Structure formats: structure tokens, C-alpha cells
Amino acid sequence: MKHTGTISGSRAGQDLTGDLVDLIHQMQSSKEPFVLATVVRTISVTAAKAGAKAVISSEGEIVGGWIGGGCAKSAVIKAAKTAFDDGEARLISIQPADLLSELGVEPGEEREGVQFAKNMCPSQGTMDIFIEPILPRPQLAVFGASPVALALANQGPTIGFDVTICGPLEDLDGFPAEMRRNNGFNIITSNSADTYIVISTQGRGDLAALEAAVKTKARHVGFVGSRRKIEALKSKLKDQGVSFDALERIKGPAGLDLGAITPEEIALSILAELLMVRRKNQRLSRIQHV
């Protein structure tokens, strides 16, 4: 997404950061992930001073604000991309080579929570920049109005999911009034937030729900039902022209094998599975940086 009002690097100055308020609000409202980079300390001569800020998109572009020229830009964008991957805030310190040598650290090394980078500019100043990822909450679309669907809708927000319940509106009366509703199973998934779909229709629109789910860009599609039922539904969808790759996206029976029996226990096993999928890349990223 391209934002209007992007500030050119030639217009330096921390007074420009006030222009970021509308941009940040817009990106949060549209559920776009971004990184907020803030200069927290400078030593010697630097173009940007403490308090300067910039907004960095998930494509690695500075779309608003200013934190200095090329001396800082490449290191900040590299750190921002890592923050998008693992969801962790970090502090980077951009210093001239001689100061890094005095500290006994190499560019790219991390020590006591600080990542170091080399300042290649003639100014040879030092900048410490805080990198804070602002990520949209993951989306959970619950298809159906079964007891398991109700339990999912109630439990999902407790571990950070924004929940939308989907199905014929007349079937959704049993859900709390404040819950977000979608009339039917045709739902548009965001490109910028993790989206997960769990189908718990219990015979009321199973095929239509599955067909709609596999056409989305959801990160995970789970079906609450037996393996035999899932295979029968897959066979019908295949006969209707749904591709093999689309059908392979269906995970069923949904949930981890925790021996769950009650709807609440089944919902818990499903959310545990979603959490495992959601955190997978973040765990790998942390391991790689150890």
C-alpha cells in the first residue's frame, strides 16, 4: 500500500514526526504490519537526532518519517525485516568501525540485547535506534454455530485472536451480541494479518464452508469432524473441480490430540494447534539468532 504524505529524507528534522500520527492510525486501522523506528540516542555528528522516527512497511520501505540518510537506512531496514519475522522489538547501535573495534564487536553481532552495525558515512557518528514491530492481531474465522464453534469464539480472544463468526445469520443468535458476524461463508481474508479458519458446521453447510475456506488466503484451514467425513467431503469437492493443492490445505480433524471430549476441551485443542502454527516462524527465527 502506498501512503500519501511520505516525507523525503531531504527534509530532516524530528519536528516532522508529528506527521506520522495519521499514517500510523491508517495502517493500524487497515491491519497493516509496520515497524516504528525511533532514534533514542546520538553521539557526535549525526543527521537525525534523538526523537526522530520513521515508519517502515512490511516491504522494507520507509513510508513516513525520517531517521537519517544512508548511514542508518540499510541497518534499520535489515533490523525491521527481522522484527517482522520474529515479532520482537530490538535496539540497534550504528557506530563507526573504530568504536566497534574498541568494544570488541563485529558488525551484525548482538551483545546484551543490542545489535551492532557499522556506520559507513564520513560523519562517523553513533546512533542508537529502537525497532518496534506493530503487528495486527491474528484473525480467527469460525465457520458454523456448533457448541465447538461457540467455545472457539469465546476462547479465541483470550489468546490474542480477533474472532469473526461466519454462517447464516439466523444460526448465530446463540453467540454473544458483541461478536463480529459474517453472513455466510464467503469471507475476505486480509493479506496483512495472519488468518486462520476453523470449520465446525456439524452437517449444516459443511461442503459450502469447506469450498469457501480453501479459496481464501488463510494461513490455516481446520475442519472439526472425523477423517472419514473429511475424506468424503474432499471427494465431493474434487468432483466439483477443486484442485488437489487446495484440498491439501484442509487440516482435519482439527486440533492437537489431547484426548479432548467436551466442546470446550476440543476448542482448546484447536487453539493450541493454531498457536503452534502461528508461532512456528517466530521460534525458528529465535533459534537462528541464538
Side-chain angles (χ1 to χ4, degrees):
M1 176 178 177
K2 300 296 183 182
H3 298 276
T4 59
T6 298
I7 300 168
S8 168
S10 62
R11 296 171 55 197
Q14 66 188 75
D15 58 317
L16 296 176
T17 59
D19 295 343
L20 298 182
V21 174
D22 289 341
L23 173 59
I24 290 172
H25 178 72
Q26 179 185 355
M27 296 184 80
Q28 288 181 313
S29 297
S30 60
K31 301 188 184 301
E32 287 189 74
F34 64 93
V35 158
L36 181 63
T38 304
V39 179
V40 295
R41 184 184 71 144
T42 64
I43 300 175
S44 189
V45 179
T46 58
K49 301 303 178 184
K53 301 178 186 293
V55 171
I56 302 167
S57 72
S58 57
E59 289 78 29
E61 297 180 43
I62 294 179
V63 295
W66 196 78
I67 46 155
C71 307
K73 183 177 178 180
S74 60
V76 168
I77 289 177
K78 181 178 179 181
K81 289 180 177 178
T82 304
F84 282 123
D85 289 337
D86 63 18
E88 297 290 332
R90 56 203 1 97
L91 181 67
I92 60 172
S93 185
I94 304 169
Q95 303 189 24
D98 58 338
L99 290 184
L100 293 178
S101 180
E102 288 180 15
L103 292 172
V105 296
E106 296 290 332
E109 185 177 340
E110 181 175 333
R111 181 181 294 181
E112 297 180 346
V114 180
Q115 294 182 359
F116 292 90
K118 183 163 66 174
N119 186 346
M120 303 292 291
C121 290
S123 63
Q124 295 294 286
T126 292
M127 297 177 66
D128 293 344
I129 303 174
F130 185 62
I131 304 295
E132 180 184 11
I134 311 295
L135 307 177
R137 285 164 61 92
Q139 309 294 305
L140 172 59
V142 179
F143 287 15
S146 68
V148 171
L150 178 59
L152 280 169
N154 286 325
Q155 294 178 26
T158 66
I159 59 169
F161 285 95
D162 281 343
V163 175
T164 301
I165 50 176
C166 306
L169 289 182
E170 63 269 19
D171 291 351
L172 307 181
D173 291 341
F175 291 85
E178 67 274 10
M179 283 192 172
R180 188 185 301 115
R181 286 164 163 74
N182 184 79
N183 186 17
F185 303 123
N186 292 317
I187 186 170
I188 298 174
T189 55
S190 170
N191 291 326
S192 54
D194 280 345
T195 304
Y196 305 79
I197 295 176
V198 177
I199 300 163
S200 186
T201 39
Q202 283 195 336
R204 188 167 171 80
D206 295 343
L207 197 64
L210 264 179
E211 184 176 13
V214 297
K215 290 179 179 178
T216 70
K217 296 181 179 179
R219 184 174 177 184
H220 181 87
V221 175
F223 186 88
V224 180
S226 68
R227 286 184 175 85
R228 179 179 295 181
K229 183 175 185 178
I230 293 167
E231 290 306 315
L233 290 168
K234 282 185 176 183
S235 180
K236 290 181 180 180
L237 289 175
K238 180 181 178 181
D239 291 342
Q240 293 179 9
V242 177
S243 71
F244 174 81
D245 289 343
L247 295 176
E248 284 298 297
R249 297 182 59 211
I250 301 169
K251 167 64 172 66
L256 301 179
D257 186 4
L258 304 180
I261 297 176
T262 68
E264 290 74 19
E265 291 171 349
I266 294 170
L268 179 62
S269 75
I270 294 169
L271 291 171
E273 180 177 52
L274 299 187
L275 186 62
M276 183 177 69
V277 173
R278 180 187 170 200
R279 297 300 190 192
K280 181 178 179 181
N281 288 343
Q282 295 179 6
R283 293 198 308 270
L284 288 175
S285 180
R286 288 193 182 99
I287 291 171
Q288 290 169 357
H289 286 87
V290 171

